[in-house]
């Protein structure tokens, strides 16, 4: 067996709430570029129960081939059955590269597959490239808490595998006219042989807008002084119709729960506007928000690193500035809304 | 009686570490070596389970000789036994080679006292891949339960464990056969204060130390750099952000400038 037997760029298509997860669509976008450079196929592997119709979504976003394992045993994610299916697919069709989203599920599955194949696995990749002639994957990732970037290679094993951070790669614009080849696969698995069972799934949806989907995020840090002081962040978010974000130190202080934490060990966000108020701008925080469209920092220390990572900054006391902002937004936003309503009326008239 | 083994790693404190800007290597002297914070939670959970169900807590690390200090820290936290594997042959290991060496050590520990549960941290703060725990589980052929944020029940007689696994938007309740492996989240527990007798025990404690030759059925090709499919080929400093524009003027003027910047995106507010 030589490396030439391994062909094609693959993406593991994670299913979330009955759809292909956004990160998998992003990976199809990134994978398309790698496949074109290597003049090879882009394939997706879809595992789940009742998931066959989702293959078309993958074609729409750039896949040439989709391998489907559709069986009730895959109703929810468990390492064992999913791993057996994906190993089966790798052994039959031998990909050159296999990418996963660096989500809890993607990382769990990838780590198991890497051990069994065995092969190398690069974690939390943020930059991907491939050598056109050798097919060597260049996967780069932050390490040491974001203090360095490292390029990781896997020269002697195939497939080359990487988990890739969500919201770093770009999905292609969907093209509903694109089609591809659907390959139905099957593997014999019996429920009695499975060693784990999911007894219950509990969704903890907060009433507040989900932070990873919000257009506006108002994030506060330790500079807000106390849980009471942090209320100003909630108030500003409310007038702007945005979600509340926080630094890790705020979460650890118990001012807000972990779902709101932005950064390396929290969520990665890319809103249209990100406010960082009383946040020093540690690298572990910045990696989670640096791709936001407009970043605004408010901090009383002119030397705070956050001013290196923002588009606009105000040096000043949050307790002076934020109440003023709240007051002024309360006045101005309704005017914008009213103007929009007028326009709407004119259009309908 | 349960036998729980927590895998722990000594790491540089990456929060305060300084990088040498010329070589892009860590200035190790700038950062103290600490017990990986996630692993402290792994040990804490093991000790809590021991208190609840009875048994023994062992800790295992692979690392250079100074890593004994991290084991002592675990003894303070309430671990009973410490094992360390230390050998040049292990150096340069990626996650695949790391999980191989740790598995060989776990097999040796299990010969002395069978293992019911292995607990790892969610990830380290230096390599921070989170891949070693699931790798060990595959090699031992036991179920990996990643992202555990609560242990509901361990039932050794009936041979199962029930835990809460963290999901992106909630959690799932999972039952697994024993033995199995957990990787734990930080919110699984708060670290208890080390009682004085533990501190005294820790100060004197000497862990069992094994070299590669002490482990059984070891395939040397799978150890260290040789056994590592991944290679770190290039290391560089992340691009420095260019820095933003600071708004000038009186507080009121700054607020007004900010207002117009934000309201310029009027589609967000209509
Ligand atoms: C492995 C690892 C992972 C991590 N992951 C994350 C992560 O995911 N997310 C994260 O956020 N952090 C993370 N951290 C922690 C990170 O290193 C920082 O410690 C943290 O982000 C600091 O939080 P902060 O900015 O709120 O607090 P501080 O650093 O204490 O900053 C407070 C800031 O508020 C300013 N301030 C004080 N008073 C006022 C006032 N009245 N008005 C205006 N400004 C004021 C101060 O000038 C200061 O800049 C991680 C660390 C490690 C080691
Ligand atoms: C810059 C850089 C980038 C790297 N990138 C990769 C990469 O992408 N892929 C890759 O395979 N390797 C990579 N490595 C190598 C990796 O850091 C080492 O393999 C390391 O020994 C273990 O990985 P980790 O620190 O990521 O552990 P993690 O997988 O994050 O650790 C999870 C848990 O496993 C246990 N554990 C981990 N290490 C030990 C130990 N030595 N002793 C006892 N228990 C332990 C602990 O419970 C820990 O909480 C990289 C190394 C460097 C320096």
């Amino acid at each position: 067996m030589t490396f030439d037997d391994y062909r094609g760029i693959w993406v593991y298509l994670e299913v979330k709430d009955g759809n292909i997860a956004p990160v998998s669509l992003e990976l199809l976008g990134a994978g398309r570029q790698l496949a074109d450079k290597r003049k090879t196929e882009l394939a997706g592997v879809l595992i789940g129960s009742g998931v066959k119709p989702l293959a078309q979504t993958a074609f729409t976003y750039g896949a040439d081939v989709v391998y489907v394992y559709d069986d009730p045993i895959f109703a929810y994610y468990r390492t064992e059955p999913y791993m057996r299916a994906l190993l089966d697919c790798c052994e039959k069709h031998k990909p050159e590269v296999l990418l996963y989203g660096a989500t809890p599920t993607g990382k769990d599955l990838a780590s198991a597959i890497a051990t069994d194949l065995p092969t190398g696995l690069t974690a939390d990749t943020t930059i991907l490239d491939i050598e056109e002639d050798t097919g060597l994957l260049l996967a780069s990732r932050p390490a040491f808490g974001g203090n360095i970037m490292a390029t990781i290679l896997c020269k002697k094993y195939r497939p080359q595998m990487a988990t890739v951070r969500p919201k770093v790669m770009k999905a292609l614009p969907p093209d509903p006219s694109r089609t591809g080849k659907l390959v139905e696969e099957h593997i014999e698995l019996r429920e009695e042989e499975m060693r784990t069972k999911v007894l219950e799934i509990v969704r903890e949806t907060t009433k507040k807008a989900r932070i990873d989907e919000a257009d506006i995020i108002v994030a506060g840090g330790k500079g807000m002084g106390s849980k009471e002081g942090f209320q100003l962040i909630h108030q500003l978010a409310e007038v702007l119709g945005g979600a509340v974000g926080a630094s890790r130190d705020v979460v650890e202080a118990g001012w807000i729960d972990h779902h709101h934490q932005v950064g390396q060990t929290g969520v990665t966000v890319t809103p249209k506007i990100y406010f960082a108020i009383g946040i020093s701008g540690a690298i572990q925080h910045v990696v989670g928000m640096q791709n936001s469209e407009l970043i605004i920092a408010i901090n009383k220390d002119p030397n705070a690193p956050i001013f290196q990572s923002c588009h606009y900054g105000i040096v000043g006391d949050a307790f002076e500035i934020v109440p003023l902002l709240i007051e002024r937004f309360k006045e101005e936003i309704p005017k914008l809304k009213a103007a929009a309503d007028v326009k709407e009326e004119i259009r309908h008239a | 009686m349960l036998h729980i083994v927590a895998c722990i790693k000594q790491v540089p404190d990456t929060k305060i570490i300084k990088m040498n800007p010329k070589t892009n290597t860590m200035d190790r002297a700038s950062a103290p070596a600490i017990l990986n914070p996630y692993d402290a939670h792994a040990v804490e959970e093991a000790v809590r389970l021991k208190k609840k169900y009875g048994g023994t807590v062992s800790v295992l690390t692979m690392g250079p000789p100074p890593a004994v200090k991290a084991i002592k820290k675990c003894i303070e936290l309430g671990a009973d036994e410490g094992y360390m594997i230390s050998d040049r042959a292990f150096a340069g290991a990626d996650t695949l080679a790391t999980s191989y060496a740790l598995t060989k050590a776990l097999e040796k520990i299990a010969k002395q006292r069978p293992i019911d549960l292995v607990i790892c941290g969610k990830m380290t703060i230096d390599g921070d891949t989170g891949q070693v725990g699931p790798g060990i589980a595959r090699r031992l052929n036991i179920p990996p339960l990643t992202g555990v944020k609560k242990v509901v029940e361990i039932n050794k007689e009936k041979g199962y464990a029930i835990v809460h696994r963290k999901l992106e938007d909630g959690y799932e309740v999972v039952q697994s056969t024993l033995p199995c492996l957990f990787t734990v989240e930080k919110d699984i527990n708060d670290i208890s204060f080390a009682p004085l007798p533990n501190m005294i025990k820790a100060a004197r404690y000497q862990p069992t130390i094994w070299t590669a030759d002490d482990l059984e059925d070891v395939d040397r090709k799978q150890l260290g750099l040789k056994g590592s499919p991944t290679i770190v080929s290039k290391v560089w400093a992340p691009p420095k952000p260019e820095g933003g524009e600071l708004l000038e003027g009186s507080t009121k003027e700054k607020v007004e400038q900010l207002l117009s910047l934000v309201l310029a995106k009027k589609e967000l507010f209509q």
Side-chain angles (χ1 to χ4, degrees), chain A residues 70-281:
Chain A
D70 197 329
D71 190 299
I73 203 160
F74 305 124
Y76 40 76
Y77 177 77
R78 288 179 293 179
T79 316
E80 207 164 2
Y82 273 64
M83 179 196 82
R84 300 262 290 271
L86 189 51
L87 279 174
D88 176 71
C89 207
C90 286
E91 275 153 19
K92 274 194 199 135
H93 303 289
K94 301 194 173 32
E96 179 173 41
V97 168
L98 174 48
L99 306 174
Y100 310 72
T103 59
T105 296
K107 294 188 75 152
D108 184 286
L109 183 60
S111 308
I113 300 276
T115 315
D116 276 52
L117 278 174
T119 191
L121 174 62
T122 303
D124 293 296
T125 307
T126 56
I127 306 172
L128 276 175
D129 198 2
I130 197 163
E131 282 184 8
E132 205 174 315
D133 34 341
T134 61
L136 189 66
L137 185 74
L138 313 171
S140 305
R141 59 173 300 237
F144 293 101
N147 285 299
I148 59 163
M149 288 290 295
T151 305
I152 314 282
L153 309 177
C154 174
K155 288 189 174 163
K156 296 192 183 145
Y157 294 74
R158 292 291 179 273
Q160 307 168 81
M161 305 210 302
T163 61
V164 181
R165 285 245 174 106
K167 305 218 176 187
V168 177
M169 305 295 159
K170 288 252 172 329
L172 297 172
D175 175 358
S177 67
R178 265 190 111 259
T179 54
K181 189 169 94 181
L182 179 77
V183 183
E184 289 190 61
E185 295 286 353
H186 181 71
I187 172 174
E188 208 43 59
L189 291 171
R190 270 181 299 163
E191 187 56 50
E192 311 84 77
E193 288 169 10
M194 297 299 121
R195 294 180 290 183
T196 56
K197 208 179 242 75
V198 174
L199 305 178
E200 192 187 352
I201 293 181
V202 182
R203 305 263 176 225
E204 287 172 333
T205 36
T206 39
K207 7 183 228 312
K208 295 264 164 18
R210 283 208 30 194
I211 148 163
D212 53 352
E213 289 164 5
D215 281 333
I216 302 179
I217 294 175
V218 182
K222 255 335 236 318
M224 300 314 292
S226 64
K227 194 168 184 171
E228 290 65 46
F230 198 80
Q231 291 310 312
L232 274 180
I233 301 294
H234 287 281
Q235 288 166 18
L236 182 57
E238 191 166 338
V239 287
L240 292 169
V244 174
S247 69
R248 190 178 80 172
D249 290 24
V250 161
V251 172
E252 285 184 349
W255 300 353
I256 196 164
D257 80 82
H258 181 253
H259 292 293
H260 297 267
Q261 182 181 321
V262 173
Q264 189 195 334
T265 45
V267 282
T268 302
V269 297
T270 51
K272 302 234 161 51
I273 308 179
Y274 188 89
F275 286 87
I277 306 177
I279 291 179
S280 58

Side-chain angles (χ1 to χ4, degrees), chain A residues 279-344:
Chain A
I279 291 179
S280 58
I283 180 81
Q284 296 89 353
H285 185 83
V286 169
V287 293
M289 50 64 111
Q290 60 194 358
N291 294 330
S292 306
E293 231 168 73
L294 175 64
I295 301 172
I296 293 165
I298 302 174
N299 197 302
K300 72 174 181 194
D301 174 7
N303 296 318
I306 191 71
F307 290 127
Q308 296 302 313
S309 307
C310 70
H311 298 101
Y312 295 97
I314 293 185
V315 178
D317 186 344
F319 293 99
E320 198 181 325
I321 291 163
V322 177
L324 279 174
L325 277 174
I326 293 172
E327 190 187 306
R328 291 288 292 122
F329 278 125
K330 268 190 185 156
E331 288 165 13
E332 294 299 324
I333 290 172
K335 289 187 198 160
L336 279 178
K337 283 211 168 76
D341 290 346
V342 169
K343 251 194 247 156
E344 191 75 354

Side-chain angles (χ1 to χ4, degrees), chain A residues 121-123 141 143-144 148 150 152, chain B residues 7-9 36 38-39 60-62 93-96 98 102 119-124 126-133 230 232:
Chain A
L121 174 62
T122 303
R141 59 173 300 237
F144 293 101
I148 59 163
I152 314 282
Chain B
C7 294
I8 60 121
K9 185 183 181 186
N36 179 40
Y38 290 91
D39 300 349
L60 167 65
T61 191
M62 175 178 90
D94 74 355
T95 55
L96 198 72
T98 299
L102 290 172
I119 308 186
C120 288
K122 174 196 170 124
M123 59 182 217
T124 63
D126 59 346
D128 62 18
T129 64
Q131 293 171 184
V132 170
T230 65
V232 179

Side-chain angles (χ1 to χ4, degrees), chain B residues 239-253:
Chain B
K240 271 254 179 304
E242 285 127 48
E245 180 188 327
L246 293 184
L247 304 177
E248 303 285 348
S250 68
T251 303
K252 201 157 180 346
E253 283 162 359

